[in-house]
Structures are given as structure tokens and as C-alpha cells.
Amino acid sequence: MLLARSINPSAPTLFHPQKVNPSVRIAHATQSAPKKLEWAFENTPKLRAGIRFAETRLSDLICQNDCAALEFRGYGKAFITTHGFSPDAFVQMAFQAAYFGMYGTPVSISARRPVPDSSH
């Protein structure tokens, strides 16, 4: 907020307005070197319980995501194109078939945005 106020002193703020001297602020910023932060936690049961809860929640979220890849060598682009299909259209139909298999309803075509007419 101080940076915004130093650029535009009339910028709205939720805090009480303070006089900002940009030259002092810039001089102070260039003289200070970065320092490593040392975290000092009080050994309180409430804090430890909160950290443990956060670790457990993060672990649960990580375990909910799983990815597996299946390499299928039965046929590929050559097979698809020799039968007169576009590989992109073939994959799109595979996605639609998978959606139907999972949810029991076809993918709604009406939800797609219309393609603009480029003949004009």
C-alpha cells in the first residue's frame, strides 16, 4: 500500500492517510539486505494440533489425485486414417463414449459455442 501511495498519493485507502516520503523509503529499501526468517513456534498444543491437521489435510488431498497412463498399441493414426476418420474426431468420439460410460448421458452438444461464419 505504501508503494501505491508513493506513486499516487490520492489513491483510496482503508487506513489512516500517512505522509509518505518516497526518497526515504527507497533509500531504506536499498540499504537493507534480505535475511533468512527464523520461525520460533511456541510449544502449544493448539498450534501443534493445527499443524498436524494441516499436514493430514494436505496428505488427504494429495492421495485423492491419481494418474495412470495406458499405452495402447492395437492401432494408431494409420489405422484411423485408412478407414476415413480424422484422428481428432476419433479422439473426440472416444471422450464422448467415455463420458457416456461414466455418467450414462451423452455430452450436450447444445452447450458448445457456435462457430462464427467466416464467409463475410
Side-chain angles (χ1 to χ4, degrees):
M1 193 58 134
L2 288 176
L3 176 62
R5 302 277 301 162
S6 67
I7 295 170
N8 182 6
S10 63
T13 180
L14 298 174
F15 306 103
H16 298 292
Q18 297 176 351
K19 299 266 183 193
V20 176
N21 186 348
S23 60
V24 172
R25 186 173 170 340
I26 292 170
H28 175 68
T30 57
Q31 292 174 358
S32 63
K35 297 178 185 176
K36 181 180 177 182
L37 294 176
E38 298 291 336
W39 295 94
F41 293 113
E42 293 180 23
N43 194 3
T44 61
K46 187 175 180 179
L47 179 62
R48 291 203 178 274
I51 292 172
R52 176 125 343 167
F53 176 78
E55 288 174 339
T56 305
R57 179 73 178 126
L58 179 61
S59 178
D60 289 344
L61 290 172
I62 290 170
C63 290
Q64 287 177 6
N65 295 305
D66 191 16
C67 181
L70 171 65
E71 185 176 345
F72 183 75
R73 293 179 179 252
Y75 54 87
K77 179 184 173 188
F79 175 83
I80 295 168
T81 54
T82 56
H83 286 82
F85 295 108
S86 160
D88 291 338
F90 187 85
V91 170
Q92 181 63 39
M93 289 300 294
F95 284 142
Q96 290 181 6
Y99 185 90
F100 183 80
M102 288 179 68
Y103 301 108
T105 180
V107 178
S108 173
I109 302 300
S110 64
R112 294 176 61 190
R113 295 192 320 199
V115 178
D117 186 13
S118 61
S119 62
H120 293 88

